[in-house]
Amino acid sequence: MKKILLATEKPFAAEAVESIKKIVIDSGFEFLLIENYKSVSELLDVAKNANAMIIRSDIVSKEVVNACPNLEIVVRAGAGYDNVDLNAASAKKVVVMNTPGQNSNAVAELALGMMVFMARGLFNGKSGTELKGKKLGILAYGNVGKNIARIAKGFGMEVYAFDAFVPKANIEKDNVKVVGSTQELFETCQYVSLNIPATEQTKKSINKALISKMPKGAVIVNTARKEIINEAELLEMMEIRKDLKYISDIEPDCKDIFAEKYAGRFYFTPKKMGAQTEEANVNAGIAAANQIVNFFKNGDTKFKVN
Ligand code: 3PG
């Protein structure tokens, strides 16, 4: 009997775990679970027997892939799969999938929540500002970007976007203004929301050249990955531009410098929180379990990314 492991260092809501377990068992497979694990060896003790794994931001390195001889499929219950060594997986003929769109509303709500929090001075009791009428630039118009646009328009923001891969007409039909480049987005918008994946091309791509072009009262909103930021140049800009603020759903490596020097101009969630809602956990978890069942029963590889 195939063994399907749910491996989450940051656990799903209990309801999501129960739903995944039910799908796995009702489909005639065995369900394994490891949550809150503290080391790779702890993970491997369970994963070494698995035929399939459902993960979140859990690291599936070459070491992990090679230590699991029965592994046939890994599904990242979420969007970004930069935590999986795709080459190592492909070399062992392990299929890797994600579950696009399933947690994107949760991430978008957090992005807007952090923007309100910052606009109101981190709820410090003093007079803040409103989002209404402000320009928001969305960098990459995927599932999260699209949800951010929808919610931001509800706030009365003027929404812009740039995405090199999405046809202009698809963005414009959401009443979002399309600009011609990343640089133009930064030049135009007081708020910029980063929604690009971390790839070799995008790592450290948010740099001084872009940030320095932002209008007065600039706020960078990062619900993507810390790796896309050039932290040294961001710090340089925080020093030069006293109006610049940075809010992020993942602590940067230089968080201690922010704490020491830029109090009131930053906010970082203590642990990645974007997808951490019951609804997103259930949606992404159920999708992942169904994708694995479909793969084993019908050979379906629809969401394969490697
Ligand atoms: C994603 O890529 O789907 C998000 O960053 C969520 O990651 P998480 O499942 O680790 O919270």
Side-chain angles (χ1 to χ4, degrees), residues 199 202-207 226-231:
T199 65
T202 64
K203 280 180 188 164
K204 291 197 193 302
S205 66
I206 307 305
N207 56 18
K226 70 176 177 185
E227 289 81 1
I228 63 176
I229 301 280
N230 183 324
E231 289 192 12

Side-chain angles (χ1 to χ4, degrees), residues 124-135:
N124 63 1
K126 296 183 186 154
S127 189
T129 57
E130 299 180 17
L131 298 183
K132 187 177 176 188
K134 306 296 187 306
K135 290 180 179 165

Side-chain angles (χ1 to χ4, degrees), residues 105 108-109 138 141 145-155 159:
N105 181 65
E109 286 190 11
I138 299 175
Y141 204 73
K146 202 175 165 64
N147 275 291
I148 289 177
R150 173 180 54 78
I151 303 168
K153 278 187 286 162
F155 274 92
V159 184

